[in-house]
């Protein structure tokens, strides 16, 4: 009997949670957290919150928000052509705000944490043919005589652009190339 009563109480909204919408929650959450955010983080969360509030999910009372509501919101975003990275970022903002609602006692669990957000599978990229590789290397040589070397190093080593750009002759010891950092250190007199 006690477990049934506890389960019933857990489903009931908190005092504040029954009246507050998702839009209200996002506003109060941003107000609480904004002082500790870097300027870019603040800008990003505010933009994401605006996008969430613009959808009908923003009008849903926090205490009535279910996992199905969040899943349907994600489906609407995908149908509208929103990219997976944007969906993931908006969902993270919603999750964080709802986690705060749990801490405030507005809700007993975070429905966004249980939402089904699986990234759509990407199509495998085709590998360039030998002729295409030679054409790219020839075109790169027109831009800069060392560009084909950079492309070959990238292909062989898997180095990123910044790592390639930071390479110095001192990184080459005989036949061994050491890629230590994507940061170039300029020594005095060099």
């Amino acid at each position: 009997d006690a477990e049934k009563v506890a389960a019933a109480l857990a489903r009931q909204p908190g005092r504040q949670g029954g009246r507050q919408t998702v839009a209200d929650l996002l506003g109060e959450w941003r107000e609480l957290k904004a002082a500790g955010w870097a300027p870019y983080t603040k800008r990003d969360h505010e933009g994401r919150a605006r996008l969430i509030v613009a959808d009908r999910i923003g009008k849903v009372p926090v205490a009535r928000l279910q996992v199905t509501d969040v899943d349907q919101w994600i489906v609407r975003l995908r149908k509208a052509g929103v990219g997976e990275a944007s969906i993931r970022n908006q969902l993270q903002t919603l999750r964080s705000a709802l986690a705060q609602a749990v801490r405030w006692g507005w809700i007993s669990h975070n429905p966004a944490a249980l939402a089904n957000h699986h990234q759509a599978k990407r199509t495998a990229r085709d590998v360039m043919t030998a002729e295409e590789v030679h054409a790219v290397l020839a075109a790169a040589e027109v831009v800069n005589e060392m560009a084909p070397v950079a492309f070959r190093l990238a292909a062989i080593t898997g180095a990123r652009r910044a790592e390639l750009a930071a390479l110095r002759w001192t990184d080459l010891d005989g036949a061994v190339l050491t890629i230590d950092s994507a940061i170039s250190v300029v020594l005095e007199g060099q």
Side-chain angles (χ1 to χ4, degrees):
D1 288 341
E3 288 176 357
K4 287 179 185 177
V5 171
L9 287 173
R11 285 191 300 272
Q12 289 180 351
R15 291 189 312 271
Q16 285 278 19
R19 294 188 301 268
Q20 303 287 4
T21 64
V22 171
D24 297 331
L25 168 64
L26 285 165
E28 290 193 36
W29 171 75
R30 285 191 338 258
E31 192 175 307
L32 174 72
K33 298 288 189 173
W37 286 338
Y40 288 118
T41 304
K42 183 178 180 184
R43 180 203 64 196
D44 291 346
H45 279 306
E46 287 176 353
R48 293 171 193 156
R50 275 193 303 274
L51 292 170
I52 296 166
V53 169
D55 186 86
R56 66 180 180 228
I57 198 170
K59 294 177 180 69
V60 176
V62 174
R64 303 227 186 290
L65 188 67
Q66 300 293 318
V67 177
T68 54
D69 298 318
V70 179
D71 285 340
Q72 290 168 355
W73 167 64
I74 292 169
V75 168
R76 286 193 301 276
L77 291 174
R78 284 192 177 123
K79 283 183 180 176
V82 176
E84 289 299 318
S86 180
I87 292 171
R88 186 176 52 251
N89 290 336
Q90 289 180 54
L91 180 60
Q92 181 55 44
T93 294
L94 182 60
R95 275 186 191 145
S96 295
L98 288 167
Q100 185 63 51
V102 171
R103 287 189 291 277
W104 284 336
W106 292 9
I107 52 178
S108 61
H109 68 285
N110 184 341
L114 302 171
N116 187 14
H117 176 257
H118 294 291
Q119 210 168 359
K121 294 195 179 200
R122 294 183 182 175
T123 327
R125 295 184 194 180
D126 291 333
V127 176
M128 293 172 64
T129 64
E131 293 80 27
E132 291 170 331
V133 170
H134 289 292
V136 167
L137 292 175
E141 194 166 16
V142 172
V143 174
N144 185 303
E145 65 184 33
M146 294 302 289
V149 175
F151 279 134
R152 288 175 191 231
L153 281 172
I156 293 168
T157 64
R160 296 173 293 195
R161 286 182 299 214
E163 291 169 330
L164 291 171
L167 284 176
R168 299 290 176 252
W169 285 111
T170 55
D171 296 330
L172 184 63
D173 183 17
V176 176
L177 177 65
T178 303
I179 298 176
D180 185 31
S181 175
I183 298 171
S184 178
V185 178
V186 179
L187 301 175
E188 191 177 321
Q190 292 188 3

